[in-house]
Amino acid sequence: MEGNLSAVVARYIYQTYDLFSSVLIAEAWTAVRAAALVPLMRAAVALCLAMSVMLLIEKLSMAVVALYVKVFRRTPEKVYKWEPLSQDLELGSLSFPLVLVQIPMFNEREVYQISIGAVCSLSWPYDRLLIQVLDDSTDMTIRELVQGECEKWSKKGRNIYYITRDNRNGYKAGAMKEAMELDYVKKCDYVAIFDADHEPSSDFLMRTIPFLEHNPDIALVQARWKFSNADECVMTRIQEISLNYHFQVEQQSGSSIMAFFGFNGTAGVWRIQAINDAEGWKERTTVEDMDLAVRVTLQGWKFVYVGDLEVKSELPSSYKAYRYQQHRWSCGPANLFKKMAIDIIKAKKVSLWKKLFLLYNFFFARRIVAHKVTFFFYCVVIPLSSFFPEIIIPKWGVLYIPAMITIINSVGTPRSLYLIIIWVLFENVMSLHRCKAVCIGILEAGRVNEWIVTEKLGNAPKAKQSSTVAKKSPSKFWQRFLFLELGIGVILLACACHNFLFRTNQYFVFIFPLSVSFFTMGFGYVGTYSPP
């Protein structure tokens, strides 16, 4: 009897303790939620709305400039002095400047013939054209193939030099820096640069060099990329939308307003004197092209973008290759911003207006804010707000601003307008990697100097590409899983379900498809093949 009584008393004590604990936990959670989480969410919403407005203003201003240029046909030939070059009867080919062409490459088995063949076919006096193939390949078989291609063109009368190194110090920048120090380069006036997958048209030099010849203050003439494999898959079509906006709006507006834009690393011609004025190529970041462009413009030089001169190139068709490329394109600028902000402020050869343009528009708004707001606002703040009834996000921030930004980004590729919803979802998933890369660049963390050359397939037949992909496929299907995307997909799915069941703002209409996008890319169902 006494034992039963003790058991009953103990049970009541435990029940009372559990009830008391539950009440304490509930009260503690309520207090923490009210004192910390809700104010934190409100602050996050305010910050994201402010960044959204900044991004919209920046995109609208550039779009207006690009529209003005198009409507009034303000082509570079009308803005700057441009006259076609012709051969002097007395001087002969000596009336043409000596031009150097560099083709940096690394294990480019599928595409090395594309750029070498195109460059060797340029319409320019052969005795006034020097070609350097800068081969950092680690595969000796590929080195032999590239060297053989160079020897083939050499026998046809081209001044082509095959240059290799024992290391990859500085990657692409290191190779070009060493090649520029060779004695015969000192005789050259200009240097054109083409990546291994780029195929310039035969009149490329005839259209670009006159800008440099007739305008001594111009340092760079940049052409536009045209994508040979844009129709390969949905992912390449989506990339085409983003890059067409970059060239038609960002590059065009920068060239028109400030005579400055970021060099794209290829399909451009530099005045060698301008490169030397800026102390040449540097190996401190993975965006050596942007680094050089900023340093040259701080010396007072101007850039010209020629939008109707297109150079064929290739888009990465696998998600893995695209992620590596986007990591470098996002991490490098953020790291460069950190390294060069003080130099930009202290520069004496540029106006205050250009300094503000570089710091705010070129770096902060486009390379920092754009990636941060895309991920944190649309993939974090809006979904998590479903759990906070106190948080009300204005409709203009959730709907109107994103819609306007989307329209601006899509006008450059009207043929792909039907893919715009997929583009939005894809860009939101990619913002995860871009945002992470920006943080790595600013903090100079582990992968800040990572350089993985983007895989290219060239003009190989589809059957051959499929065979190559099959050989690369992992033996176990789960090796293609990307657990970061899958984890965020689970969180977004939970947010969407909670929003559908307990909220009336209908954010689930956006969050559900977004979670599906993270799952789709996390399981590797994007691009031609998506290994881990």
Side-chain angles (χ1 to χ4, degrees), residues 229-243 315-323 325-326 419 422-423 426-427 430 434 454-455 521 524-530:
N229 65 330
D231 293 326
E232 185 170 347
C233 61
V234 173
M235 196 182 81
T236 53
R237 291 288 294 274
I238 290 171
Q239 291 177 66
E240 183 188 33
I241 295 174
S242 299
L243 287 170
L315 295 164
S317 57
S318 76
Y319 184 45
K320 179 181 179 181
Y322 187 60
R323 279 191 296 121
Q325 181 199 70
Q326 293 302 298
L419 293 172
I422 298 177
W423 176 83
F426 181 86
E427 286 294 299
M430 283 308 305
R434 294 179 182 133
T454 305
E455 181 185 30
M521 297 169 80
Y525 292 106
V526 62
T528 54
Y529 171 62
S530 301

Side-chain angles (χ1 to χ4, degrees), residues 6 17 27 63 132 151-152 163 194 197 236 261 276 293 347 397 404 434 459 470-471 487 497:
S6 298
Y17 174 77
E27 290 180 352
Q132 290 179 328
E151 291 174 353
K152 181 185 78 173
I163 302 172
F194 300 100
D197 63 312
T236 53
F261 46 83
N276 294 334
M404 293 178 68
R434 294 179 182 133
N459 296 322
K471 291 178 181 179
C497 292

Side-chain angles (χ1 to χ4, degrees), residues 270-289:
W270 281 96
R271 186 186 300 273
I272 293 179
Q273 179 188 343
I275 295 177
N276 294 334
D277 285 352
E279 301 179 354
W281 295 102
K282 291 190 177 181
E283 307 161 11
R284 57 183 178 173
T285 73
T286 55
V287 283
E288 76 297 324
D289 44 9

Side-chain angles (χ1 to χ4, degrees), residues 99 101 122-124 129 192 202-210 269:
V99 177
V101 179
L122 288 170
S123 298
W124 199 259
L129 185 66
S202 60
D203 65 344
F204 181 88
L205 294 179
M206 287 295 187
R207 293 193 58 187
T208 55
I209 297 297
V269 186

Side-chain angles (χ1 to χ4, degrees), residues 23 178 189 213 248 266 283 300 321 330 347 394 421 444 499 503:
V23 172
E178 291 187 20
D189 299 296
E213 280 285 278
Q248 295 182 23
T266 177
E283 307 161 11
S330 302
I421 300 300
E444 298 195 61
N499 184 271
R503 299 296 302 274

Side-chain angles (χ1 to χ4, degrees), residues 513-527:
L514 186 59
S515 67
V516 172
S517 300
F518 272 94
F519 283 127
T520 301
M521 297 169 80
F523 283 120
Y525 292 106
V526 62

